């Protein structure tokens, strides 16, 4: 971490990431577009590229959306008038997609901030060597 910036605690960094802000300075933006992460913070020049969220935000988003929508479906089915499937589709598909689109960038920002505050950077790719996973 740079000496000119005060240390940031875990929850502050997570909240900054949730809001799409740099976890260190809270001034720069994490994303250049909807989910495209910037390589560096425009304000404090923090290298963001080593903190790759990969698939974790998608998994967490699916987990959260599923735990919100499925109980609602069951409540409507159990205590409702047992609506036809087209009513379920009309209700739950837009809700699921809307929640996922709303939560995904927030969760991705929080995961990036979590990786930064815990100093879990992705290893640099070795140059000139074969990929053992291929």
């Amino acid at each position: 971490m740079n000496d000119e910036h005060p240390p940031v605690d875990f929850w502050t960094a997570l909240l900054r990431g949730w809001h799409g802000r740099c976890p260190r300075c809270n001034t720069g933006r994490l994303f250049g577009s909807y989910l495209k992460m910037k390589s560096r913070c425009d304000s404090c020049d923090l290298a963001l590229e080593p903190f790759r969220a990969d698939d974790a935000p998608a998994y967490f988003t699916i987990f959260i959306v599923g735990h919100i929508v499925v109980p609602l479906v069951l409540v409507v089915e159990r205590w409702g008038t047992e609506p036809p499937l087209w009513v379920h589709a009309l209700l739950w598909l837009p809700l699921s997609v809307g929640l996922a689109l709303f939560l995904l960038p927030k969760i991705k920002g929080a995961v990036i901030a979590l990786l930064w505050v815990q100093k879990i950077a992705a290893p640099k790719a070795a140059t000139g060597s074969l990929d053992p996973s291929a």
Side-chain angles (χ1 to χ4, degrees):
M1 222 185 322
N2 197 342
D3 291 334
E4 65 189 54
H5 295 281
V8 178
D9 68 280
F10 177 83
W11 293 108
T12 301
L14 234 56
L15 191 59
R16 289 175 178 178
W18 177 266
H19 290 293
R21 298 291 181 184
C22 173
R24 180 165 71 180
C25 69
N26 196 32
T27 305
R29 298 183 49 79
L30 281 178
F31 304 112
S33 60
Y34 178 63
L35 287 176
K36 178 76 172 155
M37 190 174 75
K38 291 185 172 189
S39 59
R40 302 191 86 66
C41 173
D42 295 332
S43 180
C44 69
D45 204 39
L46 172 68
L48 297 168
E49 201 165 0
F51 305 103
R52 296 189 335 225
D54 294 333
D55 292 336
Y59 293 133
F60 294 143
T61 301
I62 291 168
F63 181 79
I64 292 168
V65 170
H67 278 79
I68 292 171
V69 173
V70 170
L72 292 174
V73 171
L74 295 175
V75 165
V76 167
E77 189 65 29
R78 174 82 165 111
W79 287 300
T81 58
E82 295 185 21
L85 288 178
W86 68 267
V87 172
H88 282 294
L90 195 64
L91 289 173
W92 310 122
L93 286 175
L95 179 63
S96 298
V97 171
L99 273 173
L101 291 175
F102 173 74
L103 289 174
L104 189 56
K106 294 186 173 301
I107 292 173
K108 184 172 182 175
V111 168
I112 292 167
L114 171 72
L115 294 171
W116 175 77
V117 80
Q118 295 296 323
K119 297 174 180 63
I120 305 173
K124 293 185 181 186
T127 56
S129 63
L130 294 175
D131 183 7
S133 64

